Amino acid sequence: QVQLVESGGGLVQPGGSTRLFCEGSGIIFSVDTMGWYRQAPGKQREMVATIGNGGRVEYSDSVEGRFTISRDNLKRTISLQMNSLKPEDTAVYYCNVHQWLHNSDYWGQGTQVTVSS
């Protein structure tokens, strides 16, 4: 069983920066994909950034060049550095692990990021 706990976020001014952290427990293999998703009010959950085997990363077009995902396999953590934040980045951000061995997805409880002046 994998458990994920997010931290960070909060209220940030437009153009500002913040960093999200996700700490995992349980069995997370280095080949498993870890990532960040977000869900804004009235919208579907969407992928923000993922990092997979060998450090392969993928970003959504809306955050490419502004956000950076990183991963520590030994500590089973990922982080998301968020720069040049925009009001449209406001959402609940969720940490995710896709465990390839069992084709299972695990989610954290989510952390709110609000970009507003």
Side-chain angles (χ1 to χ4, degrees), residues 10-29:
L11 178 63
V12 186
Q13 290 191 340
S17 299
T18 193
R19 193 177 183 99
L20 304 182
F21 296 91
C22 174
E23 184 172 2
S25 61
I27 299 175
I28 301 175
F29 297 105

Side-chain angles (χ1 to χ4, degrees), residues 10-115:
L11 178 63
V12 186
Q13 290 191 340
S17 299
T18 193
R19 193 177 183 99
L20 304 182
F21 296 91
C22 174
E23 184 172 2
S25 61
I27 299 175
I28 301 175
F29 297 105
S30 60
V31 299
D32 293 332
T33 299
M34 300 185 73
W36 292 95
Y37 290 71
R38 68 186 181 187
Q39 187 166 19
K43 295 187 177 181
Q44 290 187 332
R45 191 173 297 188
E46 63 175 358
M47 185 275 288
V48 176
T50 61
I51 183 165
N53 190 23
R56 184 183 72 253
V57 299
E58 181 179 356
Y59 295 99
S60 69
D61 291 342
S62 62
V63 307
E64 179 87 49
R66 298 188 297 123
F67 292 8
T68 303
I69 188 171
S70 59
R71 174 174 180 168
D72 186 325
N73 286 326
L74 290 178
K75 296 180 179 179
R76 292 171 292 185
T77 61
I78 58 170
S79 64
L80 185 68
Q81 177 65 41
M82 307 164 66
N83 298 329
S84 302
L85 283 161
K86 305 175 182 179
E88 50 263 44
D89 294 317
T90 296
V92 177
Y93 284 72
Y94 296 90
C95 180
N96 167 268
V97 168
H98 181 76
Q99 197 176 64
W100 292 101
L101 181 62
H102 301 293
N103 194 29
S104 299
D105 279 280
Y106 299 92
W107 297 91
Q109 80 285 355
T111 186
Q112 177 72 46
V113 174
T114 301
V115 184

